[in-house]
Amino acid sequence: MIKSKYALRTTIVAGAGIIAVMLSGCASGGSSTPSSSASSSASASEADCASDATTSNNLVVGTILPITGSLAYLNPPEQAGVGLAVSDINAAGGVAGKQACILATDSGDSTDLSVSTASAQKLITAKPSVAIGAASSSVSLNVVDAFASANITQISPANTSAKLSGYGPYYFRTAPPDSVQGSALGSLITGDGNSKVAFIVFNDSYGTGLRDFTQKSIEAAGGSVVYGATSAGQESLPARPRSRLRSRLHWPPSPTRSSFSHSMRPSRSCPSSSLKAGTCRRPTSQTATLPTTARTSSPER
């Protein structure tokens, strides 16, 4: 029986939805034995699309996930989730008689959107049945219009930005947006009897977005935010990738670095009793310095 184009597209989207849900579950954490991890990785590599694979003979599952960048640690479980889902689909006979395969690309992160732009163009040229990703909301916002223009369905397992809510007919996600998470979190906080709340968040779209919706929920319930509120300017500085962090204090201090004085702290060699008696001096010249180099944006979803 020949299926209509609409019915076939619905079947393909349903299959892609299964992939995204399984991907989301695998990326959420939990214990995993070495053998199961190895099996998932093997499944992903064995399911890679052949060079001549097309949507006429395969369900081509494109991925745009963070192989590089600050969110790269998310790639192994996310890619393993795609591999596991594709293996299950193929074991069940495929979709509309077509076997599924994976065409993987790198999304990078929000610090270099040229990576996701290039990967999206690669997928659009290949004309996959679906694109799974991105992990970062900023990355998805960078490529979502391109996928929609090419009539390619995009499904993210991790995007939470409210800007993507109801974005268009080709964009889906399996993670609840900040508006839903914030409402639930605010209700939980006030429901537990808390009326005064402080926020410590990164100054990026993920930190401030979730904070804003949580604050609205708290205030609607009669609570108040006493620190870190919207527009208060009390957000934390964005984090840097670990590989670029300085893990030790610099000694001696450099004139180009900001410093803080330890002159008010007693020396370890001076007991408190000696300090009180005036027979032991505090050091007056020792300073420790922390780097003041520019920080990149923190990983965000």
Side-chain angles (χ1 to χ4, degrees), residues 129-289:
S129 309
V130 65
I132 303 296
S136 162
S137 293
S138 294
V139 170
S140 282
L141 286 166
N142 181 53
V143 301
V144 63
D145 289 331
F147 283 133
S149 296
N151 299 327
I152 295 174
T153 298
Q154 177 187 353
I155 306 178
S156 169
N159 292 165
T160 64
S161 173
K163 294 179 180 179
L164 287 163
S165 296
Y167 195 90
Y170 288 94
Y171 175 81
F172 302 86
R173 58 180 166 194
T174 58
D178 292 334
S179 55
V180 174
Q181 294 188 45
S183 178
L185 184 57
S187 296
L188 177 64
I189 291 171
T190 54
D192 285 344
N194 303 294
S195 60
K196 295 183 178 180
V197 181
F199 287 102
I200 300 177
V201 302
F202 280 129
N203 189 22
D204 57 24
S205 60
Y206 183 46
T208 59
L210 183 57
R211 183 272 315 276
D212 292 348
F213 284 105
T214 304
Q215 178 177 333
K216 289 179 181 178
S217 178
I218 291 170
E219 292 175 341
S224 62
V225 176
V226 297
Y227 181 86
T230 303
S231 302
Q234 295 168 324
E235 295 83 4
S236 300
L237 291 172
R240 292 183 295 169
R242 288 187 178 183
S243 61
R244 298 167 69 178
L245 286 173
R246 307 283 181 92
S247 60
R248 64 178 182 276
L249 297 179
H250 296 268
W251 186 263
S254 165
T256 62
R257 300 178 184 276
S258 62
S259 63
F260 60 91
S261 174
H262 281 223
S263 61
M264 297 304 293
R265 296 183 181 181
S267 168
R268 290 184 178 180
S269 61
C270 295
S272 298
S273 57
S274 299
L275 284 171
K276 292 179 180 178
T279 57
C280 186
R281 284 183 157 182
R282 292 187 175 102
T284 59
S285 60
Q286 291 184 352
T287 60
T289 63

Side-chain angles (χ1 to χ4, degrees), residues 18 29 36 49 70 95 100 114 116 178 192 198 209 217 223 250 272 283 287:
I18 294 172
S36 64
C49 290
S70 58
V95 175
S114 65
S116 58
D178 292 334
D192 285 344
S217 178
H250 296 268
S272 298
T287 60

Side-chain angles (χ1 to χ4, degrees), residues 53-72:
T54 65
T55 53
S56 62
N57 52 26
N58 288 97
L59 173 67
V60 179
V61 180
T63 64
I64 182 163
L65 297 169
I67 298 173
T68 63
S70 58
L71 294 179

Side-chain angles (χ1 to χ4, degrees), residues 14-24 59 61 81-83 85-86 89 100 130 132:
I18 294 172
I19 292 172
V21 170
M22 294 185 73
L23 193 161
S24 180
L59 173 67
V61 180
V82 176
V86 165
I89 289 172
V130 65
I132 303 296

